[in-house]
Amino acid sequence: MDFFHVLVVLLESTIRVSVPLVFAALAGLFTERAGVFDIGLEGKMLGAAFAAGAVAAVTQSVWMGLLAAILISILLSLVHGYASITQRGNQIVSGVAINFIVAGSTVILGEAWFRQGGRTPALAEGARFQTINLPGADAIRDVPVLGPIYADLLSGHFLLTYLAFAMVPASWWILYRTRFGLRLRAVGENPGAVDTAGISVIWLRYRAVICCGILCGFAGAYLSLAMTAGFVKGMTAGKGYIALAALIFAKWRPKNVMFACLLFGFLDALAIRLQGTPLPLVGQVPVQLMQALPYILTVILLAGFIGKAIPPKAGGVPYVKER
Amino acid sequence: MSTPYAKLPGWVEYGLIPLINLAVAFLVAGLVVLLVGENPFEAAYHLINGAFGRGEYIGFTLYYATTFIFTGLAVAVAFHAGLFNIGGEGQAYVGGIGVALACLWLDQTLPWYVVFPLAILGSVFFGALWAFLPGWLQAKRGSHIVITTIMFNFIASSLMVYLLTRVLKPLGSMAPQTRNFAEGGQLPKLDWLLSIFGLDVGTAPFNISFLLALAAAFGVWVLIWRTKLGYEMRTMGHSPSAARYAGIRESRITVITMMISGGLAGMMALNPIMGEQFRMQLDFVQGAGFVGIAVALMGRSHPGGIIPAAILFGVLYQGGAEIAFEMPSISRDMIVIIQGLVILFAGALENMFRPAITRAFAMRGQRAAAVVQTKGA
């Protein structure tokens, strides 16, 4: 029973750390399926987290914080869109630029506005998300096996957690079952064909980039309004890149994205859990190896040793209307 | 829309446009300073004064510039072959192993001029090794070099934490760093170079690796524009299909280019490890690998542009420290913003002002032609 208890706790923290990854990876899914590479997920998430923390602290309203996060993230997405769609600049360079601008300005502005060493003030109860207890969670907690699974694993999460996992089928439905999604995927594979059909490649890609902004906004808001009570400088700590790795690991498919994020989240949770405790057979695993594992797995996958990850065909290539 | 940009005179292409892009980047940075409630002109004064005000400050500026020349060259070499090596950070970090091993092995018995060449070889070897894998994976397995090099940055960071906390740390010490090097592991300062100009280097760690950086810049110029390999690299960068048609082996060039790039990034480790701290510590790279991207973009991937761009970033790093000291509400993170803005305006948005400038020049050309006509009549 003890092992079972450990497992539930481990899976529960897996879900908690996976949420920003799921949001950000789905965000990347939208732009990359539309042919715009985005390594600026990290920056957008960080900018959104800062906006959420700052606005929620000032207005004492969690919803204003969420709104600010989404707006800032969309704004940053539009900068990326302007550079890579309208100006046909290098998408990687643009993403790198956004990551730096955000990393610097969140600290400078945070320090100038709040003077707490780059933090935003700790949020009171009303200014952050509260965990939701699903109906009957307390009543069946004592039921063996099912009780803990329902009460500890499924219940007691934040609204954004449920939203993140709801976004997985929703994204699938948008991308695979709507006209917009079909066109979005087409524009990432063969923009010329979409253009020939009389559909604006530019506008489609901008819409994809905006979708990305919205989702990154949720990811950032989750970090500073739910996971912790306030913004801490550099709080994304590479999660945007892990999300990018998860997106590739998932071969750009919504359902796989969720599982990849859960896998990487599980590794993260496990690394924290295993710190300093030796494993049977292998002995003590260096925590650094656990931390590097998502990246190593992605490299191995990209090298084609675990199936083949084929990116959208027109990814990274700005569209030029006629030659 | 798709009309190719008209050919502009060289000084506009390589002088005016980068300057305009840079000016816009600084303008936006100035707005951030305003937003924080400080005076941008005062900040600019402290920046310039902090970077050039004294011999010691100049020494620091050039010390930082040395680092950025290496990482800038690393990114530039890869750019020429159409590869985006975003992994300079990790390659420099791992390159530090080579420097540290050479120093730890020989610093107590041999003088610096014997250890230094070995440390160079070590840094190049480890830097190139860390770039070899992404290069090989791109060449043979088709994995995207940008993604792999990002992943390798993180893997490098985990690896180095492991090595510095478990392997290279001296017994009984808590700090994640190697022991301090004896005299053999310390590079001499270039105080004589500054004293020619009547300047005193003071405590600035401006050291001999600056000369190595200049030599590397010259070497890169020779490689890219004066050798067969460089020609093949540029051909592949301009048109991979043309390169393939000309019988250039793409995979070979990819791997070699990445190894040269990684080797250059690795050499960056010499400057902080042997030139300043005299030990290898955690995170000694401090983002220099990423600054290299900005430097290469601003310098248009030409050593002649990379050196001034690296000095500019040296000014930002050294002068930025002075700003942070004089104006407490502007911390050194301001540099990160400027760096991002430079990457944005000189890189991703490099063509934003081009149509307007091209138009202005076309108009001037027409007017000149009209003047000639009226004179002729």
Side-chain angles (χ1 to χ4, degrees), chain B residues 147-283:
Chain B
I147 306 295
T148 4
T149 47
I150 292 177
M151 300 301 135
F152 266 69
N153 281 343
F154 285 103
I155 298 172
S157 145
S158 292
L159 175 74
M160 294 302 282
V161 173
Y162 176 76
L163 287 179
L164 282 170
T165 51
R166 303 280 184 94
V167 184
L168 293 170
K169 189 181 70 169
L171 276 178
S173 152
M174 287 306 285
Q177 57 199 26
T178 64
R179 68 170 167 80
N180 284 352
F181 303 148
E183 229 158 87
Q186 305 187 0
L187 293 180
K189 285 190 190 179
L190 285 178
D191 38 4
W192 53 270
L193 189 68
L194 284 187
S195 62
I196 296 175
F197 303 98
L199 296 165
D200 176 23
V201 74
T203 59
F206 177 46
N207 63 75
I208 199 145
S209 52
F210 178 68
L211 299 182
L212 180 71
L214 295 184
F218 180 71
V220 166
W221 177 79
V222 171
L223 168 75
I224 300 291
W225 281 280
R226 289 291 180 275
T227 65
K228 179 163 166 274
L229 178 64
Y231 176 75
E232 291 178 339
M233 282 162 57
R234 281 183 294 138
T235 311
M236 199 179 97
H238 276 291
S239 165
S241 49
R244 220 171 295 137
Y245 195 65
I248 294 169
R249 278 164 58 205
E250 231 175 317
S251 51
R252 180 175 159 268
I253 300 292
T254 304
V255 172
I256 293 178
T257 307
M258 280 308 287
M259 288 179 71
I260 296 172
S261 175
L264 284 164
M267 278 203 271
M268 169 267 159
L270 295 161
N271 193 34
I273 294 181
M274 286 185 81
E276 195 209 359
Q277 296 147 357
F278 311 128
R279 59 171 181 247
M280 182 162 72
Q281 54 192 34
L282 220 54
D283 285 326

Side-chain angles (χ1 to χ4, degrees), chain A residues 82-83 87 89 92-94 96-97 100-101 104-105 107-108 112 241 248 288 295 299 302-303 305 308 320 322, chain B residues 1-2 36 84 86 137 141 143 147 150-151 154 158 161 290 297 333-334 336-337 339-340 343-344 348-349 352:
Chain A
Y82 177 72
Q87 291 291 336
I92 310 285
V93 173
S94 164
V96 172
F100 279 121
I101 294 171
S105 39
V107 179
I108 294 269
Y241 294 109
I248 297 162
Q288 291 86 12
Y295 307 111
V299 168
L302 269 173
F305 295 118
K308 189 116 185 84
V320 184
E322 87 271 16
Chain B
M1 272 297 275
S2 73
V36 173
F84 195 159
I86 209 166
L137 288 171
R141 313 288 312 193
S143 37
I147 306 295
I150 292 177
M151 300 301 135
F154 285 103
S158 292
V161 173
F290 295 114
L297 286 169
D333 295 277
M334 193 70 210
V336 181
I337 302 185
Q339 185 184 328
I343 295 176
L344 184 67
L349 292 172
M352 190 158 73

Side-chain angles (χ1 to χ4, degrees), chain B residues 299-314:
Chain B
R300 301 241 147 185
S301 301
H302 190 292
I306 286 170
I307 293 172
I311 293 176
L312 178 88
F313 271 94

Side-chain angles (χ1 to χ4, degrees), chain A residues 32 39 42 56 87 112 137 181 187 193 198 202 209 254 256 266 281 311 321:
Chain A
E32 302 215 346
I39 65 169
E42 174 87 2
Q87 291 291 336
V187 95
I202 307 278
V209 162
N256 295 0
F266 178 73
L281 298 177
K321 202 169 173 69

Side-chain angles (χ1 to χ4, degrees), chain A:
Chain A
M1 214 51 213
D2 190 42
F3 172 75
F4 178 72
H5 177 71
V6 169
L7 190 71
V8 167
V9 171
L10 198 58
L11 290 179
E12 196 267 327
S13 58
T14 299
I15 291 175
R16 211 171 43 225
V17 293
S18 300
V19 170
L21 301 182
V22 171
F23 275 128
L26 288 175
L29 181 71
F30 274 92
T31 52
E32 302 215 346
R33 279 320 277 266
V36 181
F37 275 164
D38 194 354
I39 65 169
L41 296 174
E42 174 87 2
K44 268 173 254 182
M45 219 196 309
L46 189 63
F50 174 71
V55 171
V58 172
T59 61
Q60 289 299 319
S61 154
V62 64
W63 301 109
M64 291 307 286
L66 181 63
L67 188 70
I70 291 172
L71 287 180
I72 285 293
S73 178
I74 289 178
L75 188 78
L76 290 168
S77 286
L78 288 177
V79 171
H80 182 58
Y82 177 72
S84 49
I85 302 169
T86 305
Q87 291 291 336
R88 306 204 291 265
N90 185 321
Q91 299 170 3
I92 310 285
V93 173
S94 164
V96 172
I98 286 173
N99 286 344
F100 279 121
I101 294 171
V102 174
S105 39
T106 47
V107 179
I108 294 269
L109 294 179
E111 180 60 28
W113 291 341
F114 302 106
R115 307 213 173 275
Q116 295 187 8
R119 289 167 163 271
T120 60
L123 296 171
E125 291 235 329
R128 59 187 154 96
F129 284 102
Q130 302 297 323
T131 50
I132 299 169
N133 276 326
L134 294 184
D138 289 324
I140 68 161
R141 188 181 296 273
D142 296 328
V143 177
V145 185
L146 278 180
I149 287 181
Y150 183 75
D152 293 330
L153 202 54
L154 298 180
S155 169
H157 289 289
F158 302 102
L159 179 67
L160 288 179
T161 310
Y162 298 110
L163 182 69
F165 287 95
M167 279 316 290
V168 177
S171 301
W172 173 84
W173 188 78
I174 292 171
L175 283 172
Y176 288 89
R177 287 293 179 270
T178 66
R179 182 157 39 168
F180 168 66
L182 176 68
R183 290 174 174 177
L184 187 141
R185 283 180 297 129
V187 95
E189 300 291 336
N190 189 346
V194 177
D195 200 20
T196 313
I199 301 156
S200 166
V201 174
I202 307 278
W203 172 225
L204 247 175
R205 284 192 169 168
Y206 264 110
R207 277 186 287 172
V209 162
I210 292 171
C211 291
C212 167
I214 296 171
L215 287 166
C216 273
F218 280 117
Y222 177 82
L223 289 178
S224 61
L225 297 182
M227 212 169 172
T228 45
F231 174 82
V232 184
K233 76 174 183 182
M235 78 186 308
T236 45
K239 288 193 180 63
Y241 294 109
I242 295 224
L244 196 65
L247 176 62
I248 297 162
F249 202 74
K251 302 171 187 176
W252 292 271
R253 284 174 210 288
K255 186 186 70 187
N256 295 0
V257 162
M258 184 183 77
F259 286 118
C261 290
L262 284 171
L263 172 67
F264 290 176
F266 178 73
L267 290 174
D268 193 9
L270 197 64
I272 298 166
R273 177 93 205 162
L274 285 184
Q275 210 150 16
T277 45
L279 278 182
L281 298 177
V282 282
Q284 192 163 349
V285 181
V287 66
Q288 291 86 12
L289 179 67
M290 302 290 290
Q291 284 164 349
L293 212 51
Y295 307 111
I296 296 173
L297 283 177
T298 307
V299 168
I300 295 173
L301 173 91
L302 269 173
F305 295 118
I306 322 172
K308 189 116 185 84
I310 303 162
K313 213 169 167 189
V317 188
Y319 181 63
V320 184
K321 202 169 173 69
E322 87 271 16
R323 295 239 177 231

